[in-house]
Amino acid sequence: PMKTRHIHLQVKIRHDPNDLESDIALKLRVANGTHTAVAHAMALLSLVNTEALCTSSSASEVILNYLDSLYKTQILPAAINDGISAHETNATWDDWRKRLRHPHFGLSTFFITQNGAAKCGIRLGPTIKSLVNDSVCGTATDHPLSVSMAFAVAAILRFLTPVFPAKRSEFERIDDDDAKQRGVFV
């Protein structure tokens, strides 16, 4: 005889359109925002799949500490600034962090980093805007963006910057065939 395993899914039924907007904002800011931030950093470290976060390696722990910092110092305060409850935001992060550590959840960092600049604007932009606006209004610290957010944006920008061999002069023009071979289009 086969054993039957019961799976309990939690489903929320939303009746208020504002609740749905909040859910979408949480998905973009918490899940997609941290995934975008981590994928670019991982790709720069030559980690090709997010399942590297499932190990107990020192690299995995450093990356997860970075994500925890990004969430706690940037995403959570910005979500609260924008009227999203801390409880819902924390629940979303707790669920998402478990998924990031699940051995069968891994995605290609190459896939995630596609259109990185646009994803940065959509996924991290609302958090940055909220924190800066809060600072301008005088209700936050003078330095609203933390090192973790600066690192996330820097990694995305660095990932988008072509790397040239050391032998090239800064001012030397790249010939088109060489650029096409390396995937650099000028």
Side-chain angles (χ1 to χ4, degrees):
M2 295 182 79
K3 290 185 178 180
T4 303
R5 194 170 106 170
H6 297 283
I7 300 173
H8 299 282
L9 300 175
Q10 293 183 348
V11 177
K12 290 184 180 180
I13 298 174
R14 299 295 195 188
H15 299 285
D16 183 346
N18 292 331
D19 290 339
L20 184 58
E21 286 179 27
S22 176
D23 290 344
I24 292 168
L26 286 171
K27 180 194 180 297
L28 286 172
R29 288 181 180 204
V30 176
N32 297 146
T34 56
H35 220 200
T36 296
V38 78
H40 285 82
M42 290 178 76
L44 289 169
L45 293 168
S46 299
L47 297 170
V48 297
N49 195 297
T50 60
E51 63 190 23
L53 297 173
C54 299
T55 69
S56 58
S57 70
S58 59
S60 173
E61 294 306 312
V62 167
I63 292 168
L64 288 167
N65 285 339
Y66 153 63
L67 284 179
D68 287 335
S69 174
L70 180 66
Y71 172 73
K72 290 175 188 169
T73 67
Q74 304 292 272
I75 295 169
L76 177 60
I80 293 169
N81 288 348
D82 293 340
I84 303 170
S85 82
H87 175 74
E88 287 286 328
T89 308
N90 284 323
T92 303
W93 174 239
D94 291 343
D95 178 62
W96 185 249
R97 196 175 192 285
K98 286 176 192 166
R99 292 182 192 202
L100 288 174
R101 299 291 313 244
H102 193 282
H104 302 295
F105 181 72
L107 291 171
S108 161
T109 56
F110 178 75
F111 172 75
I112 299 166
T113 57
Q114 297 300 299
N115 300 313
K119 288 178 179 177
C120 180
I122 294 165
R123 298 170 174 186
L124 297 174
T127 294
I128 293 169
K129 181 179 178 183
S130 178
L131 293 169
V132 170
N133 284 344
D134 198 42
S135 176
V136 169
C137 294
T139 57
T141 64
D142 290 337
H143 305 287
L145 301 178
S146 73
V147 171
S148 59
M149 183 61 80
F151 180 77
V153 174
I156 291 166
L157 294 175
R158 180 63 190 107
F159 187 80
L160 298 172
T161 307
V163 177
F164 299 106
K167 67 181 182 183
R168 291 195 188 274
S169 162
E170 279 185 57
F171 303 104
E172 184 179 336
R173 179 156 170 76
I174 302 170
D175 92 27
D176 291 339
D177 290 336
D178 183 45
K180 286 178 188 169
Q181 286 178 341
R182 290 184 294 116
V184 178
F185 299 95
V186 291

